[in-house]
């Protein structure tokens, strides 16, 4: 519920900021009329600027509705979790014995040396081979 309140506060702040009637506000109809005073208004930019406030209001309203539906819907229509009395049952688990080891089996081979050491060994072997021939 607090997330919805935060979204509503942000929406209110955005709305209050957009109510600025100064020259810097693009939504100001007087500014739009002055900018397009001696220009051709039929190609679309003038109509877009005239309707920009309405478009912003629709977008803001849809955003608030979507946020309220997204956060509030599950709270209103979600199933309430009923906690049932859970009884903890003790379970006895039998551990399996490890497989028998063969005393005659040789140990696994050691892991390969790091890459740098192998390259060095190969380089040294090549150097020795070149000197020998």
């Amino acid at each position: 519920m607090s997330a919805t309140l935060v979204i509503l506060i942000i929406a209110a702040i955005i709305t209050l900021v957009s109510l600025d009637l100064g020259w810097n506000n693009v939504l100001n109809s007087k500014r739009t009329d002055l900018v397009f005073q001696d220009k051709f208004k039929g190609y679309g930019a003038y109509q877009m600027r005239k309707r920009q406030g309405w478009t912003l209001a629709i977008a803001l309203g849809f955003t608030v509705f979507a946020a309220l539906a997204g956060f509030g819907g599950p709270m209103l229509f979600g199933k309430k979790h009923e906690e049932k009395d859970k009884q903890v049952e003790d379970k006895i688990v039998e551990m399996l014995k490890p497989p028998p080891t063969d005393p005659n089996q040789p140990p696994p081979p050691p892991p390969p040396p790091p890459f740098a050491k192998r390259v060095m060994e190969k380089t040294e072997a090549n150097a020795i081979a070149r000197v020998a021939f």
Side-chain angles (χ1 to χ4, degrees):
M1 199 65 178
S2 63
T4 308
L5 184 62
V6 169
I7 291 173
L8 287 175
I9 291 172
I10 291 172
I13 291 171
I14 291 172
T15 305
L16 290 175
V17 169
S18 68
L19 293 177
D20 178 30
L21 298 177
W23 178 256
N24 291 332
N25 186 5
V26 184
L27 301 177
N28 189 352
S29 62
K30 291 179 184 177
R31 174 188 169 153
T32 305
D33 291 335
L34 282 173
V35 168
F36 289 96
Q37 188 173 15
D38 295 329
K39 297 182 175 81
F40 179 65
K41 297 179 182 179
Y43 73 93
Y46 180 73
Q47 286 83 13
M48 284 176 57
R49 286 239 183 130
K50 278 292 201 188
R51 292 191 310 246
Q52 190 172 6
W54 181 245
T55 304
L56 180 65
I58 290 173
L60 186 62
F62 180 74
T63 303
V64 169
F65 172 75
L68 288 174
F71 288 114
M75 284 189 239
L76 293 175
F77 301 113
K79 293 181 181 178
K80 295 186 178 181
H81 299 288
E82 296 177 12
E83 292 196 26
K84 298 178 181 176
D85 294 333
K86 294 182 180 179
Q87 296 178 356
V88 179
E89 296 179 15
D90 291 334
K91 292 185 178 180
I92 299 174
V93 179
E94 270 188 50
M95 299 290 291
L96 297 175
K97 294 181 180 179
T101 57
D102 186 15
N104 297 332
Q105 185 179 12
F115 181 72
K117 190 173 182 182
R118 283 187 285 172
V119 170
M120 213 161 101
E121 287 174 357
K122 286 181 182 179
T123 311
E124 289 174 3
N126 289 343
I128 294 170
R130 286 186 199 146
V131 172
F133 288 108

